[in-house]
Amino acid sequence: QVQLVESGGGLVQPGGSLRLSCAASGRDFSRNAMGWYRQAPGKQREWVAIITSGGRTNYRDSVQGRFTISRGNASNTVYLQMTSLKPEDTAVYYCNVFPAVISWGQGTQVTVSS
């Protein structure tokens, strides 16, 4: 059974940092592009960062220069390093393949507030 498990969220002050982790299981994801997505209250889920199987990355404009997506040594792990966090980054963060076609995990809550 394919499963996505996100972790690493929490409450952080503006300007702070967090590192999110995603553990994907159930099959080999090494040939998939992987992405981080987020959903803020009252808003649609949006993609945040993408990494291809070859390591190329792409970011939405609002996080460019602040977030870094990477893949772990284990092919089924993906990370999102978030720095200079802003209140508008508050959301539940999810990982999935890109485009997202696998059932979503529970996500991890990121709250940026003073």
Side-chain angles (χ1 to χ4, degrees):
Q1 181 180 357
V2 175
Q3 189 174 17
L4 300 166
V5 179
E6 303 89 352
S7 62
L11 173 63
V12 63
Q13 292 186 343
S17 300
L18 283 173
R19 188 190 194 214
L20 306 184
S21 299
C22 170
S25 61
R27 67 171 177 86
D28 181 13
F29 290 85
S30 61
R31 296 185 179 183
N32 288 98
M34 297 295 293
W36 280 96
Y37 305 76
R38 67 186 180 188
Q39 186 167 21
K43 295 187 177 181
Q44 290 190 336
R45 186 151 32 203
E46 62 185 14
W47 72 272
V48 174
I50 304 162
I51 185 166
T52 68
S53 58
R56 297 180 67 177
T57 59
N58 195 20
Y59 302 91
R60 72 182 304 109
D61 288 347
S62 59
V63 307
Q64 180 74 47
R66 300 189 296 120
F67 290 11
T68 303
I69 187 171
S70 61
R71 303 183 84 125
N73 290 331
S75 61
N76 285 4
T77 56
V78 185
Y79 303 102
L80 185 67
Q81 179 68 49
M82 306 186 296
T83 63
S84 301
L85 282 161
K86 305 176 180 180
E88 51 263 43
D89 295 318
T90 295
V92 179
Y93 284 72
Y94 303 86
C95 67
N96 208 315
V97 296
F98 186 87
V101 294
I102 295 174
S103 296
W104 297 98
Q106 293 298 308
T108 186
Q109 175 71 47
V110 172
T111 302
V112 185
S113 175
S114 55

